[in-house]
Structure formats: C-alpha cells, structure tokens
Amino acid sequence: MTAAGAAVKVAPVQPESQPPVSRYFVKSFGCQMNVYDSERMGDLLAADGHVASEDVKSADIVVLNTCHIRERAAEKLYSDIGRLRKPRADGSRPLIVAAGCVAQAEGAEIGRRAPDVDVIVGPLAYHRLPALIADARNGRAVDTDMPAVSKFAHLPARRHQGAAAFLTVQEGCDKFCTFCVVPYTRGGEVSRPVTELLSEAEALVASGAVEITLIGQNVNAYDGGVADGETTLAGLMEQLAALPGLKRIRYTTSHPRDMTQALIDAHATNPKLMPYLHLPVQSGSTRILKAMNRAHTRDSYLATLERVRAARPDIALSGDFIVGFPGETEADFRDTLSLVEAVGYAQAYSFKYSQRPGTPAATMADQVPEAVKDERLARLQAALTVGSHAFNIASVGRHTEILLERPGRKPGQLIGKTPWLQSAVVNVPGARIGDLIPVAITAGQPNSVEAVPLEPKRAAA
Ligand code: 5AD
Ligand code: SF4
C-alpha cells in the first residue's frame, strides 16, 4: 500500500539551502538480487536527474537496500540508520530510504523503531522510488505493495559499466522451505519475458559486458514469463549464447527440484555456459531435509550431481548449508559432513540457523543451542575449506581464460575469475580490468589460485 501520510514529522527532503541536484548513494546488503536491484535503483535516480555520490557522507539521498534472510542482516539496517540520522557539520542529514526485504517484511516496525526513515519501499515496488522521494516532502512515504504489474516494465534503460553484469530473470519463490522468509518478502515465482531479457542483455553487451550472470531466487524455475510463454532457462541461455559479444554465461541460485535434464544437458552443449553450479543442499540428513520441506533427499541430491558431472565432468560445485536447524542431532550433522566429503565442493556458503519470524521452523520444538551451532559451523567450515583447497590444487596445470575483475593487493597484481569461479591472482603487464586473458594455473590456495599469462594461442577453454 502507498501511504504518503506522515506518521512522524521529518525534515523536508530538499530544504531551500540544498543544491538543486541531489547526490545519491545506494548501499547493498545481502544477495546478488539486491546487487542488481541496487544498480537499478541507481538507474532510476539518475534518470530522475540525481547524480551518484562517491561516498555515503556527501550523499543527499541514501538508499539502504536491506536483506532479511538472517537476523544480523536486519540489525545492520538499524545501525546504519543510527549513523545517518546524526546531523552533519552543516546541520543537515540525508533523506533515508529503507528498501529491500527488511522494508517489505518489517515496514511498520521500521517506522516505529527508526522514525527518521523518510521512504520505505519493498523489492517489488522500487520502480516507484522517484515518486516516493517526491512524496516524502510531506512526510514518510511507504510502498510495500506486491503489485500485479512487473516493476521491470517501468525501469529506465540500464547504465551498467563493467565486464561482468547480473541480470535478474526470475524473482520470488513458491518452495516455502520452513526456515526461509523469501516467499513472504519476494512473493511467488515470476519470470521475466524472454524478449525483455534479450534486449537488456544486448544493452549490457553493447556497454561492454562480456559475462552475464542470470539471477533469480529460483533461477532454474525460469519459465519464459507470461508474455512469451514457455521457455526454459536452458532455452533462454541458448538464445543469449547467440549474442556475439557475450563470452560467458552463468546462473544462480538453483533449487535441486528444478534441475531438469535439459538444464543439465546445457552444461554439455552450450559453449558459453561456464562449468559452475551453485546448488544449495542445506543439510546432508534426509530427516532434516524433510523437516525443512526441501522436496529433495540426500540421495536424490547426490543423484542429480552425478547427472551433472556426467554432462560436464570438470564442473565446479557450490552449495549453501544451514547448521543447527531445529531438531538437528549430532548424527544429522555428521550426515552433512559426510555429504560434503562425498561431493567435493569447490566453494560453499554456510550459516547458523536463524529463527525468522513468521516461518514454520521458528516455532518448532528442539531449537539448537547457540553454542552447539557455533561448534558445528566451525567444523563444517573447516571441512569446506579442505574441499575448496583440494579443488584449487587439482586445477594446477590447467590452461584457461580468466576475466580480470579488480586490482590485487600487491602492486601490478590483478584478480580475475576462472571459468570455475575461482579467484585467480596474476601479474600481466599492460592488461586492463575487463580483459579476458589466457593463463596457466600454477598454484592452489584455500580460497584462490595463482596464475601466469599464456600466449593467446596456447589457451584452451
Ligand atoms: N537461517 C540460516 N540460513 C538461512 N538461509 C535462508 N534462511 C535461513 C535461515 N533462517 C540460507 C540458506 C539459503 C541462503 C540464501 O541463506 O542456506 O540457501
Ligand atoms: Fe528460501 Fe527455500 Fe525458496 Fe530458497 S527455495 S528462497 S531457501 S524458500
């Protein structure tokens, strides 16, 4: 609902003394979906005549794009607001926008706990950001609607810079894992039409992107959207692969239930699809997976990975894990450790279970004590590091290409990404960020590899 009425009196957005052009700063918390949304909110503000600010301290408008997935993520919003509301040397404070999933789930609570917030906008309504900022002149403006119309149709052209870009192709979730807030904050699964995505991808490539990561809460549930009918993720990626300037395609995050054979086959047949799969498992215990409502078992997950490996033997696998879900015993946790050993993940993300209000697991009996969660997380992370280190060591000797992303710590060093999403540290005189360069991998560290440049003709994909 849009409510422009003032619950609390706040400072006017643009007092007479402020310059006519506002500088904005968007701070992103959480997942890649939020990184994409933050970029798009920046596009909206730029199209509305505002300019990007280098830092938060000199911004007139600060957007905090929040994440609600775990407790700590929400707390960060309140500590940031606390800092922003303190008057600056000239007595002013920025206009504060709380956006994202915390805004969606706890809009009313934010209003109570942080009266200085001027705009509260959810992840499905941020195309209205310029209008809400204008409304905030008369008091706090709120829009946490889940509108039937797609926000994407109302966004301006993308102004992305950089060789790697995210492209949201799907949003929302119908899976209702018992621990997770996403179905409540992002709504049901919706796919964007293929035509809309192809033109956004073309614009990205025209502005210099060579790698596009297709993102969605359940990206492999992509179905082509209402407008363009049934098209699978594999079909979309096939069409994207036809864009000549595009060199690399990735996708994340997938659900084991939607890992179709067509998608698995794409790993063998689509030459631009990178050999990397992020497939969250959450637990290695079928009993816990059932309590989580994951719709897969330990064995069905392992069988899926076997099919993936048959299609693409060198694939790098990644997963998400939760330790200390209600009722998790030491034996259940050992099942997770043995699954980690069996799979040999190249990368992984692991979390302590966090009770999220309104989710079924929050009120389940047998909540696991914090100290037990801490101890299990440490053991799991140690096992995952052993796995990623082994994967990196096994890559030594490979000739491949890396996409240079940023400067390294030492002078002359650059960091790039291998096809398997490893960070590769390299020294290449004359190379620039955004270049794809042929390298040989020479050493494997726990979280990265070292590489040396190769003559172009010696590189093999
Ligand atoms: N507690 C801990 N981790 C969670 N995740 C989602 N909800 C919770 C929660 N309540 C993790 C899952 C998911 C990732 C994005 O965040 O592992 O895959
Ligand atoms: Fe959350 Fe499960 Fe949906 Fe992933 S699949 S967003 S973990 S409910």
Side-chain angles (χ1 to χ4, degrees), residues 2 20 38 45 65 89 167 177 180 277 292 309 328 355 426:
T2 306
S38 293
L45 294 173
N65 194 15
L167 174 55
C177 299
C180 185
L277 173 64
M292 288 177 163
R309 279 205 162 115
E328 185 189 72
Q355 273 172 291
V426 72

Side-chain angles (χ1 to χ4, degrees), residues 69-70 179-180 280 282 320-322 351-354 356:
I69 202 110
R70 286 169 293 276
F179 51 80
C180 185
Q282 316 299 356
D320 287 347
F321 298 85
I322 294 177
F351 313 101
K352 287 191 286 179
Y353 168 69
S354 162
R356 306 314 289 132

